Amino acid sequence: MSSERINEIVILSGKGGTGKTSIAAAFSVLAGEEAVIADCDVDAANMHLLLKPDFAGSLDFFSGELAVLNQDVCIRCGKCADVCRFNAIPFIENQYTISPLDCEGCGYCEKVCPSFAIVMKERKSGKVYTSTIKTGGIMVHARLDIAAENSGKLVAKVKKDAKDLAKAGNKEYIIVDGSPGIGCPVVSSLSGANYVVLVTEPTMSGLHDLIRVYEVIKRFRIKAGCIINKSDVNEAQSREIKEFLLAEQIDHLADIPYDSAFSSAMIEGKTVVEIQSPRKAQVEEIWKQIKIITNKNNTI
Amino acid sequence: MINNPPLKIGIASGKGGTGKTLLSTNLAAYLSLTQPTLLVDLDVEEPDDFLFVRGTTQSITDQYKMIPVWDEKACTLCGICSKTCKYHAVIQLGSIILVFKELCHSCYACSELCPAGALPMQKHKMGEIKTITSGNLTFIESRLNIGEEQAVPLIHQTHERVEKTHGDIPLQIFDCPPGTSCPVVASTRNVDFVVLVTEPTPFGLNDLRLAVETMKEIHKPVGVVINRYGIGNSDVEMYCREAGIPVLAKIRYDRRIAELYSNGQLVYDKIEDMQTSLDNIIKAIQNVVRKN
Ligand code: SF4
Ligand code: SF4
Ligand code: SF4
Ligand code: SF4
């Protein structure tokens, strides 16, 4: 098996709560040392709860800037507040003050200040970790600071580090737990991927979100497969999802019925393939199938 | 009651899929039985509330953000714009100025600092706001166009719209985007109280912790609703007790709720305990807000 090209597999769901992370973590355990794991759900990272990383390496992550105002030289002319489109420079108790929560770091105020009272500073927006997980595999994960901007840059950093480590370690797979939504972080999660695994559930909102996130995937022309989780909750909705998959030529990977095994495993800090239940064999089978599909894609 | 300011409630969670939509839509529909109520879907990337609200569409308006557009004839290729933009949304390639509209934050710096006036700001459609009414319920949906990467400007515009045209509705419920980053902060900044929806599992607890920290940062009173109660363990309750956060309601895991929800149906009129839970939630919130 050649590892000239690394298979990068992104697990996505549009909205959370479909079991995306549980499934991505199960694949990670099955892949063991063949894969580098990238948790790109930096806004609500959960994979670490199941994969037990050691947080061995940690690095502050900076992105964007923040305006800092020096009251000692400010002449209170108000020019900065006039140009700020984000209302980030309120006039409080006779002085102009930068509100860090509102400042978007555009730097316009710095440019117009006549007394050079404003400087732009780098903004710490999170932390990136490189860990060894319980399987002996490597995982790159991150924590976005509270109320920071999830511009997709932190996600891009996690992916880049994962890719570098996969190359250096001659790994076959990168398994990415993707971000929710349709904005920048998802776009960053997807870039460079070979295959997307969509995890959805048979609800009206599940299908609606699936269609929306698939629009984004289509723009990148990446092959996708879909797992319908809790498929038995609504058979009619399940059928509708399958029709959509057929129409869009998305591989239908599996129907997983509702099973409390997922939460039982989670409570033990394990993935569903580490406890005894019918799900173990099923998820193993799905992972095997994904390996076959991605390796085939890779050789054509 | 008439002169009281409206009560604004944000419904949020550390991650999606915990039951935010279920709670927002049922709470709004149930409360609208007895008083005028506003429901605003601010989860602009994945708006889902509309699946549960059947009513008459009153209006659909296009929402714009402002972006610079290059006027080749006026440009002197001085290079100031590309040096100004902190987001690399304007770059100079030889004798061409390129604007990447998805990256633009509409700060106006390049446009207003261009000495030749060669980058006038123009409207660019980023989404839509739809208004639907159904009896006493006014529902506003805010939806970001696919391909747009920034939710925050649209969330701000939606808040402005609500304040301008529906500021008098006494009860206002905002279904907020999931997470702990900018969009949720933008969504909850002017509400009186935030309900955090979670589930009794390790993932639920981890996400709840982060959501609580976020709300602390912006000084919002919070309460917790535990959804799918019974599927996991009691760690979430223990955490709430230790952190002194009120648990407003526990919604028991019930396959019927999952089934009704999957078909886009409301549950408050079909599941016995639901109305009691909703009553408890609103009473607890009113008490806290009144005290403040
Ligand atoms: S950097 Fe931009 S957003 Fe921040 S205060 Fe200055 S003008 Fe406002
Ligand atoms: S523009 Fe400069 S001098 Fe004027 S109020 Fe702002 S910081 Fe002060
Ligand atoms: S700042 Fe204005 S004149 Fe200078 S390169 Fe940019 S568009 Fe052209
Ligand atoms: S308006 Fe601001 S963000 Fe947009 S391109 Fe110009 S400088 Fe960049």
Side-chain angles (χ1 to χ4, degrees), chain A:
Chain A
M1 201 160 285
S2 95
S3 19
E4 269 172 26
R5 198 162 147 210
I6 303 159
N7 277 315
E8 190 172 318
I9 300 163
V10 181
I11 328 291
L12 273 191
S13 72
K15 205 165 241 179
T18 57
K20 166 183 71 90
T21 300
S22 293
I23 288 170
F27 291 163
S28 304
V29 167
L30 293 172
E33 293 188 37
E34 280 177 20
V36 171
I37 316 304
D39 188 349
C40 287
D41 196 349
V42 296
D43 197 2
N46 275 330
M47 250 188 161
H48 61 279
L49 298 171
L50 304 184
L51 297 179
K52 307 279 147 91
D54 59 5
F55 292 82
S58 102
L59 214 65
D60 282 345
F61 180 74
F62 293 87
S63 89
E65 296 180 2
L66 175 70
V68 179
L69 194 160
N70 180 352
Q71 298 295 350
D72 297 340
V73 286
C74 173
I75 56 166
R76 321 242 189 293
C77 70
K79 285 211 170 98
C80 53
D82 286 345
V83 300
C84 178
R85 292 303 196 285
F86 307 99
N87 299 322
I89 318 185
F91 191 63
I92 305 168
E93 288 169 5
N94 274 320
Q95 59 186 34
Y96 291 95
T97 328
I98 311 280
S99 153
L101 271 180
D102 294 294
C103 174
E104 300 222 3
C106 73
Y108 197 175
C109 54
E110 179 194 33
K111 290 246 159 38
V112 299
C113 173
S115 48
F116 305 99
I118 295 177
V119 288
M120 301 302 293
K121 287 232 167 92
E122 258 197 322
R123 190 170 193 149
K124 177 178 166 286
S125 66
K127 264 194 152 86
V128 183
Y129 306 99
T130 310
S131 295
T132 303
I133 58 171
K134 61 183 178 189
T135 57
I138 297 167
M139 169 165 162
V140 183
H141 47 133
R143 173 65 214 144
L144 190 71
D145 284 346
I146 296 292
E149 184 185 16
N150 193 356
S151 62
K153 286 189 191 129
L154 183 52
V155 170
K157 167 76 178 152
V158 169
K159 286 205 45 172
K160 188 186 170 297
D161 286 2
K163 200 167 257 173
D164 290 348
L165 286 165
K167 266 190 205 143
N170 230 357
K171 306 287 183 194
E172 269 180 73
Y173 299 96
I174 299 175
I175 297 175
V176 181
D177 188 12
S179 331
I182 59 160
C184 323
V186 181
V187 171
S188 299
S189 312
L190 281 171
S191 75
N194 306 74
Y195 194 68
V196 177
V197 178
L198 293 156
V199 181
T200 188
E201 49 182 32
T203 63
M204 279 173 78
S205 47
L207 178 58
H208 173 251
D209 296 338
L210 180 68
I211 293 171
R212 246 169 109 73
V213 78
Y214 190 64
E215 284 287 313
V216 181
I217 295 168
K218 261 211 259 190
R219 295 179 171 219
F220 288 85
R221 297 168 201 276
I222 307 168
K223 273 289 289 160
C226 180
I227 296 171
I228 306 178
N229 197 12
K230 306 175 196 161
S231 57
D232 55 335
V233 165
N234 189 326
E235 304 283 354
Q237 288 289 344
S238 271
R239 272 196 300 279
E240 249 186 78
I241 292 176
K242 279 174 220 168
E243 277 164 30
F244 170 75
L245 300 181
L246 205 62
E248 295 286 349
Q249 294 179 304
I250 302 169
D251 303 324
H252 175 219
L253 296 169
D255 283 346
I256 302 181
Y258 177 83
D259 196 326
S260 57
F262 282 98
S263 36
S264 316
M266 192 195 289
I267 284 164
E268 292 179 38
K270 289 181 176 164
T271 65
V272 77
V273 295
E274 294 164 274
I275 65 166
Q276 288 311 319
S277 90
R279 290 319 124 226
K280 178 173 153 61
Q282 189 181 15
V283 174
E284 284 169 355
E285 193 47 48
I286 302 170
W287 174 239
K288 224 184 267 167
Q289 211 181 323
I290 292 170
K291 281 167 78 165
I292 293 169
I293 295 172
T294 52
N295 285 320
K296 202 162 52 195
N297 283 349
N298 229 344
T299 48
I300 354 176

Side-chain angles (χ1 to χ4, degrees), chain B residues 159-231:
Chain B
H159 270 306
E160 277 165 25
R161 164 75 78 82
V162 166
E163 236 146 76
K164 224 189 278 156
T165 42
H166 304 286
D168 55 338
I169 300 179
L171 213 51
Q172 308 189 354
I173 293 166
F174 297 86
D175 186 2
C176 302
T180 61
S181 57
C182 297
V184 67
V185 172
S187 301
T188 47
R189 280 197 76 182
N190 60 0
V191 304
D192 303 304
F193 190 96
V194 178
V195 178
L196 298 172
V197 187
T198 189
E199 51 181 41
T201 61
F203 283 8
L205 176 59
N206 184 50
D207 297 327
L208 176 64
R209 276 210 179 103
L210 296 172
V212 167
E213 269 179 60
T214 311
M215 292 303 134
K216 242 190 222 149
E217 189 89 359
I218 54 172
H219 312 292
K220 292 291 164 194
V222 298
V224 167
V225 169
I226 307 178
N227 190 26
R228 301 194 191 104
Y229 188 68
I231 65 163

